[in-house]
Amino acid sequence: MDSSTVAFATVPTRLGDVLAAVTGDGVAATDFRDGPLIRQRIAGRLGMTPADDPARTEAVREELAAYFHGELKEFRVPVDWRLMSALQRQVLGTLFATVPYGEVVTYGELAARSGTGVPARAIGSIMGGNPIPIIVPCHRVVASNGLGGFSGGDGVESKRWLLTLEGHLPPTLDWDM
């Protein structure tokens, strides 16, 4: 697999066209929107040339589609952590490894669990800078007194939708998959 290129896939979902960027090592970025500027920004951050490679993106396309249809509880695609600092990698890696589908953790609990000594407020900033939302499930990190913030998609409403999909929150009257 060419290590100097990044391949992109788009999956239509209830929250919009979710974009995944896949390097030779795995999924390096996801976004709740797709478009030429977003793809250009991700390729630039990776220092890679975009490539048309449907075979490379097939697994993440299938897994994201299954997740948004409520059929996938655990992502198995490889994750490429290269866009994260060591601190982000430790915190987001802890989240990825220890908070399964349908469960949540508070910012403070994740701070303690990660062993980084980072205060809860900084955990929120790390979640906001997560380059691989959905697969690295920053939506599962909540405030001790409510949902907390969310920088993906349509903000907290997208977080609420994802947590409802996963069964953590009850569906509302206007629930629509």
Side-chain angles (χ1 to χ4, degrees):
M1 204 173 290
D2 186 350
S3 62
S4 66
T5 64
V6 57
F8 293 97
T10 303
V11 178
T13 76
R14 170 77 165 65
L15 298 179
D17 290 338
V18 172
L19 176 68
V22 186
T23 67
D25 295 328
V27 180
T30 56
D31 202 293
F32 284 86
R33 305 279 185 269
D34 188 7
L37 293 177
I38 294 169
R39 290 176 181 226
Q40 182 180 12
R41 178 181 48 83
I42 292 170
R45 284 187 67 204
L46 289 166
M48 296 180 168
T49 304
D52 184 25
D53 191 347
R56 189 189 310 180
T57 60
E58 181 179 6
V60 73
R61 271 194 327 268
E62 289 175 357
E63 288 193 13
L64 282 168
Y67 171 81
F68 278 96
H69 283 100
E71 300 163 357
L72 181 81
K73 307 277 191 267
E74 181 181 343
F75 287 97
R76 289 190 167 76
V77 291
V79 173
D80 180 342
W81 302 91
R82 77 178 73 206
L83 292 178
M84 299 178 203
S85 69
L87 178 63
Q88 286 174 307
R89 169 67 174 90
Q90 187 170 347
V91 171
L92 289 165
T94 299
L95 170 66
F96 183 74
T98 67
V99 184
Y101 186 97
E103 294 185 21
V104 297
V105 64
T106 66
Y107 296 103
E109 289 167 345
L110 183 57
R113 194 179 285 186
S114 70
T116 58
V118 170
R121 183 170 309 206
I123 295 295
S125 294
I126 291 170
M127 295 305 105
N130 177 9
I132 316 172
I134 304 166
I135 294 173
V136 177
C138 53
H139 61 277
R140 296 181 191 152
V141 183
V142 298
S144 58
N145 62 352
L147 288 181
F150 193 64
S151 60
D154 291 327
V156 176
E157 286 310 308
S158 292
K159 183 176 192 172
R160 182 183 318 278
W161 192 92
L162 292 167
L163 292 175
T164 303
L165 172 71
E166 294 186 7
H168 180 74
L169 295 175
T172 60
L173 292 175
D174 63 349
W175 173 253
D176 180 23
M177 287 184 64

